[in-house]
Amino acid sequence: MSDFGFPILFALGLWWFSTGVVLYVDNFPGRTFRWTMLGGVAVLAIAIFGFVVSSASMSVAMNYVAFTCGVIVWGVLEMSYFTGYAIGPRKIACPEKCSQWQRFRLAIMTSLYHELAIMVTGLLLVIISWDEPNQVGAWTFIVLWLMRWSAKLNLFFGVPNLNEDWLPEPLRYLKTYMKKCGMNLLFPISVTTATVIVVLIVLKAMASQVTDAEMVGYTLVATLLALAILEHWFLVLPIPDEALWHWALPTKQSNPHR
C-alpha cells in the first residue's frame, strides 16, 4: 500500500496548489487580467507540448507529467472563465420569476463560449493521445470536465452552500442562476456514481498484473476524482472549505467559494 502514497500526495498537492493559484490571480484587479491571460496562454502552450510528449510514453515519470499537464490545461481554461475572457454572450443577472427551463437556457448562455472552449480542448487532447500508450492526461482532463458539469448542475438545481463569494466581482451576476435549497435529487446520483467509479479504478490499480506505471496513472486519476467528490460534499455540508485556500483569497472575503 505504500506504493500508493506518493501518487496520492502528488495529486492532492497539485489539486490544492492549482486551485489556489487560479483563485489568487482571479482576484487581482481587473486591469491585470490581460497580463494574467497572456501568461496563461504561454503556460497553456507549454502544458500542451508536455501533454504531447508524455502521451507517447507509458512510464512512471511520464504519467506524472501527463497528469500535471492535464491539470494545468484545465486550470488555464478556468482562469479564462473567472477573468471574464471566455464566458458567454449573456453577462447580466437572471430575470426574476423565471421558469426553471428559462433559467437553465439563460444559464447556458452565461458560459457558452467557455463550454465550447472546453469541448474543443478536450477533443484536441483526446485526438492527440488517441493511439498513444499514455492516456493519463486525457483521463485527467475528462474527470475535471465531467465533475465540473456535475457541480454546475447541482448548483443550478439547488444546494445549501452556493459559495457565491468565490466569484470575482464582475461575475457576481452568476449567483442569480444558482438555487439555494436543500440537497437536490441529482446530488446523490452524482456522488454515488463517481464513488463507484473511484472504487473500480482503485481495484484496477491494485490488480496484480498492472505495471508500476499503470498503478501510478490509475492512482492519480482516482485521487483526483475522489477530490472532486469531496468538492461536491462541500456544497451540502457545513464544512469551512475556505480555510484550505485562505492564502489565495482576498482578506476582505470571509466566506470564499470553491
Side-chain angles (χ1 to χ4, degrees), residues 13-243:
L14 185 61
W15 165 80
W16 172 78
F17 181 72
S18 62
T19 299
V21 169
V22 171
L23 289 173
Y24 187 73
V25 299
D26 288 347
N27 281 285
F28 281 173
R31 64 180 182 275
T32 67
F33 286 172
R34 178 182 301 178
W35 300 107
T36 296
M37 286 313 303
L38 283 174
V41 169
V43 171
L44 179 63
I46 295 171
I48 291 178
F49 175 76
F51 184 95
V52 172
V53 172
S54 60
S55 295
S57 175
M58 187 60 177
S59 67
V60 170
M62 287 298 101
N63 279 350
Y64 283 111
V65 173
F67 179 78
T68 301
C69 290
V71 171
I72 291 174
V73 170
W74 178 262
V76 174
L77 288 173
E78 286 294 273
M79 190 167 62
S80 72
Y81 180 72
F82 287 108
T83 55
Y85 274 88
I87 45 177
R90 186 174 181 83
K91 301 177 183 179
I92 57 176
C94 183
E96 294 183 7
K97 299 181 180 178
C98 254
S99 69
Q100 182 158 285
W101 168 246
Q102 289 174 319
R103 185 165 59 91
F104 182 76
R105 179 176 59 83
L106 294 175
I108 291 176
M109 298 306 291
T110 64
S111 59
L112 180 63
Y113 302 149
H114 186 245
E115 297 300 338
L116 291 175
I118 290 175
M119 286 189 280
V120 170
T121 304
L123 180 61
L124 173 65
L125 298 183
V126 169
I127 291 173
I128 288 172
S129 60
W130 184 257
D131 283 325
E132 299 295 341
N134 191 340
Q135 303 289 319
V136 171
W139 295 344
T140 298
F141 190 88
I142 290 170
V143 164
L144 291 166
W145 181 4
L146 294 180
M147 292 305 284
R148 180 182 180 276
W149 271 1
S150 173
K152 289 185 73 173
L153 285 171
N154 276 285
L155 285 167
F156 174 81
F157 288 119
V159 289
N161 306 321
L162 298 181
N163 296 324
E164 65 270 22
D165 289 339
W166 282 45
L167 293 170
E169 189 62 39
L171 299 182
R172 289 292 173 88
Y173 63 87
L174 292 174
K175 67 182 180 181
T176 63
Y177 297 89
M178 306 173 189
K179 183 179 179 181
K180 188 166 187 175
C181 66
M183 184 187 300
N184 66 80
L185 294 178
L186 176 63
F187 184 85
I189 297 174
S190 300
V191 170
T192 302
T193 302
T195 301
V196 169
I197 294 173
V198 168
V199 171
L200 293 176
I201 297 174
V202 169
L203 291 176
K204 186 72 173 177
M206 296 177 67
S208 58
Q209 68 270 25
V210 300
T211 65
D212 288 345
E214 290 172 330
M215 182 273 294
V216 168
Y218 288 135
T219 304
L220 290 170
V221 174
T223 303
L224 185 65
L225 182 52
L227 291 168
I229 295 170
L230 176 63
E231 289 183 312
H232 274 58
W233 281 111
F234 286 158
L235 298 175
V236 300
L237 296 178
I239 300 174
D241 56 320
E242 66 271 15

